[in-house]
C-alpha cells in the first residue's frame, strides 16, 4: 500500500512540474507580448560625461518603465537614470515617441553648456522628425547647488534646440500655420531664467533687459511688474494669433467657412472676458491681503502678471499640440 501511495505521489508531482513549466512558458510569452521594445532593438548605451568644474564624471542610462506602450513599434517611456560611481543620483521621466530605428543608441544624449555656467547640460530627442515637421527635443540643465539636472520647460517639447552664441540658443519650430521659424533665447543670470531675445542681441543685453523687467514676487515693484506683464502679454497675443489662425484653417476645412468664422469671433470674445475676469479677480485678491494702500498697485500688477504668465503657458501647450496634430 505504501509503495502504491509513493508511486501516486511521484506521478502527481510530475504532473505538477509539467503544469508549472507550461505556466512559466505562457507567462514568458505574455511578458514578451507586453514588451513595447522590439526584441531586435538595441537599447541606448550607457554614456559617461565629465560635467566640469569639480562636478566630476557622471553616467547616464535609460531604463524602460513597466507600462506597455500605447503606440506599437515605438521605443516607449522610461527614465534617464543619472549615476555617480554606479549609484543612482536621480531618475528623470522621459518618453521616446519614435520608432526604434530612429533612435541613435550610441548618441541618444547630446551634451553642451547651454547656459554658459561652466557645467555640461544635455538635450535628448522626444519625438522623431515626421514628414514636414521638426523634431521635438528636451533640454536638461545642470544645477550646481543640488548636483542634479532639471528640465528646462522653455526649451523643451517645442522644436529643435541648437547653441547659437555662448549662453544663447536657437529654437527651430513650426507655427500653427505650419510655417518654420526660429526663436532666440538667452539665459539671464540675474533671474536664473531663459528669456526671449531678438536675433543678434547679445546674451548680456538680453540679461539686462530681462533683469529690468523682472517682477519679484517677494518684493514686487509697480514698474517692473507692469513691464513684465506687458512683455508676457505681447508673447501671449502672438501665440493666440498663431493658434486662432491654425485652428480656424483646420475648422474651415472640416466644418466650413461659416463655422470657422464663428469660432474666431468666440475665441476673441473669450479672451476679452478672461482679461476682465483677471483684472476683477486680482482687485479682490489684493484687497483680501490687507496690504497698505501704497503697496496695492504693485501687488495688483504682480497678480495680473502671474495670471498672464499662466495663460501664456497654456497657449504654448495648445500651440504645440496643434502643431503635433498637423
Amino acid at each position: 500500500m505504501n509503495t502504491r501511495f509513493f508511486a501516486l505521489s511521484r506521478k502527481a508531482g510530475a504532473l505538477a512540474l509539467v503544469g508549472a513549466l507550461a505556466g512559466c512558458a505562457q507567462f514568458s510569452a505574455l511578458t514578451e507580448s507586453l514588451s513595447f521594445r522590439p526584441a531586435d532593438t538595441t537599447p541606448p548605451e550607457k554614456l559617461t560625461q565629465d560635467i566640469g568644474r569639480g562636478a566630476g564624471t557622471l553616467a547616464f542610462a535609460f531604463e524602460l518603465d513597466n507600462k506597455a506602450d500605447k503606440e506599437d513599434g515605438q521605443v516607449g517611456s522610461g527614465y534617464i537614470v543619472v549615476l555617480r560611481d554606479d549609484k543612482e543620483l536621480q531618475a528623470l521621466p522621459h518618453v521616446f515617441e519614435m520608432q526604434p530605428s530612429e533612435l541613435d543608441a550610441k548618441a541618444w544624449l547630446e551634451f553642451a553648456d547651454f547656459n554658459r555656467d561652466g557645467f555640461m547640460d544635455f538635450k535628448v530627442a522626444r519625438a522623431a522628425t515626421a514628414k514636414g515637421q521638426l523634431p521635438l527635443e528636451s533640454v536638461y540643465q545642470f544645477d550646481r547647488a543640488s548636483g542634479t539636472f532639471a528640465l528646462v520647460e522653455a526649451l523643451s517639447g517645442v522644436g529643435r534646440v541648437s547653441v547659437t552664441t555662448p549662453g544663447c540658443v536657437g529654437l527651430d519650430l513650426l507655427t500653427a500655420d505650419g510655417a518654420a521659424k526660429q526663436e532666440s533665447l538667452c539665459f539671464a543670470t540675474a533671474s536664473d531664467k531663459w528669456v526671449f531675445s531678438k536675433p543678434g542681441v547679445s546674451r548680456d543685453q538680453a540679461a539686462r533687459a530681462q533683469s529690468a523687467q523682472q517682477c519679484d514676487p517677494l518684493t514686487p515693484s509697480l514698474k517692473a511688474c507692469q513691464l513684465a506683464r506687458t512683455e508676457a502679454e505681447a508673447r501671449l497675443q502672438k501665440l493666440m494669433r498663431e493658434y486662432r489662425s491654425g485652428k480656424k484653417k483646420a475648422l474651415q476645412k472640416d466644418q466650413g467657412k461659416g463655422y470657422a468664422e464663428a469660432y474666431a469671433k468666440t475665441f476673441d470674445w473669450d479672451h476679452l472676458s478672461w482679461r476682465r475676469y483677471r483684472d476683477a479677480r486680482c482687485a479682490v485678491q489684493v484687497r483680501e491681503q490687507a496690504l497698505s494702500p501704497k503697496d496695492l498697485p504693485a501687488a495688483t500688477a504682480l497678480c495680473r502678471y502671474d495670471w498672464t504668465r499662466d495663460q501664456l503657458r497654456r497657449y504654448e501647450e495648445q500651440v504645440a499640440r496643434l502643431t503635433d496634430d498637423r
Side-chain angles (χ1 to χ4, degrees):
M1 181 175 180
N2 290 338
T3 303
R4 184 181 179 187
F5 174 78
F6 287 120
L8 290 174
S9 298
R10 286 196 298 270
K11 185 176 180 180
L15 290 174
L17 178 60
V18 171
L21 291 175
C24 289
Q26 292 175 356
F27 178 76
S28 177
L30 176 62
T31 54
E32 288 180 4
S33 66
L34 288 177
S35 174
F36 52 81
R37 178 190 292 279
D40 59 349
T41 301
T42 302
E45 296 182 1
K46 181 185 290 187
L47 305 177
T48 57
Q49 177 65 45
D50 182 6
I51 304 304
R53 292 177 55 182
T57 299
L58 300 178
F60 301 81
F62 185 73
E63 294 183 2
L64 292 167
D65 59 23
N66 58 1
K67 296 180 293 185
D69 194 16
K70 296 179 181 179
E71 299 291 340
D72 293 336
Q74 291 190 355
V75 179
S77 59
Y79 299 89
I80 301 172
V81 182
V82 185
L83 308 104
R84 184 189 299 278
D85 299 329
D86 291 330
K87 294 182 180 179
E88 181 178 318
L89 294 179
Q90 62 181 140
L92 303 164
H94 187 73
V95 181
F96 285 110
E97 300 179 57
M98 61 180 66
Q99 297 294 319
S101 60
E102 295 173 315
L103 176 63
D104 187 345
K106 295 183 178 180
W108 55 286
L109 296 182
E110 183 175 331
F111 296 92
D113 183 4
F114 287 97
N115 59 339
R116 203 181 67 171
D117 65 347
F119 297 96
M120 297 300 285
D121 314 301
F122 68 85
K123 70 174 182 178
V124 57
R126 185 174 73 79
T129 306
K131 186 176 180 181
Q133 294 186 355
L134 292 170
L136 299 182
E137 297 177 331
S138 296
V139 174
Y140 291 87
Q141 188 170 294
F142 184 75
D143 176 39
R144 54 185 162 185
S146 64
T148 59
F149 293 86
L151 178 70
V152 182
E153 295 185 0
L155 307 180
S156 301
V158 182
R160 181 172 53 206
V161 183
S162 58
V163 177
T164 52
T165 58
C168 296
V169 300
L171 186 59
D172 297 306
L173 49 87
L174 294 177
T175 66
D177 298 333
K181 72 171 185 177
Q182 184 180 75
E183 297 280 6
S184 180
L185 295 94
C186 295
F187 187 75
T189 306
S191 61
D192 197 34
K193 293 181 180 180
W194 287 89
V195 298
F196 286 90
S197 64
K198 296 180 180 179
V201 175
S202 70
R203 174 178 178 270
D204 293 334
Q205 288 174 319
R208 286 195 298 270
Q210 199 276 341
S211 179
Q213 297 184 16
Q214 181 63 24
C215 181
D216 188 347
L218 297 179
T219 56
S221 162
L222 175 59
K223 182 177 180 180
C225 290
Q226 286 177 333
L227 288 173
R229 178 181 59 81
T230 300
E231 188 272 341
E233 285 189 346
R235 291 168 53 198
L236 175 60
Q237 289 288 345
K238 183 179 179 182
L239 276 176
M240 286 176 53
R241 287 194 295 268
E242 291 181 6
Y243 180 78
R244 180 181 56 189
S245 177
K247 192 71 174 179
K248 184 178 177 181
K249 286 185 178 181
L251 290 174
Q252 184 170 337
K253 181 179 179 181
D254 296 337
Q255 304 290 340
K257 184 177 180 180
Y259 188 92
E261 292 289 347
Y263 165 81
K265 292 180 180 179
T266 303
F267 182 91
D268 292 338
W269 175 254
D270 285 344
H271 178 65
L272 180 61
S273 299
W274 171 82
R275 283 178 59 104
R276 291 173 176 170
Y277 177 79
R278 177 201 65 181
D279 293 348
R281 185 67 188 88
C282 283
V284 174
Q285 180 177 324
V286 170
R287 292 193 187 98
E288 291 174 346
Q289 296 174 3
L291 299 173
S292 63
K294 67 180 183 64
D295 294 328
L296 289 176
T300 303
L302 170 62
C303 178
R304 291 178 178 177
Y305 168 63
D306 286 340
W307 276 66
T308 302
R309 186 175 54 181
D310 290 341
Q311 188 79 336
L312 177 61
R313 291 197 192 100
R314 283 194 285 270
Y315 272 99
E316 286 174 342
E317 295 173 356
Q318 291 180 5
V319 169
R321 286 197 297 268
L322 182 62
T323 303
D324 290 343
D325 294 340
R326 293 174 62 90

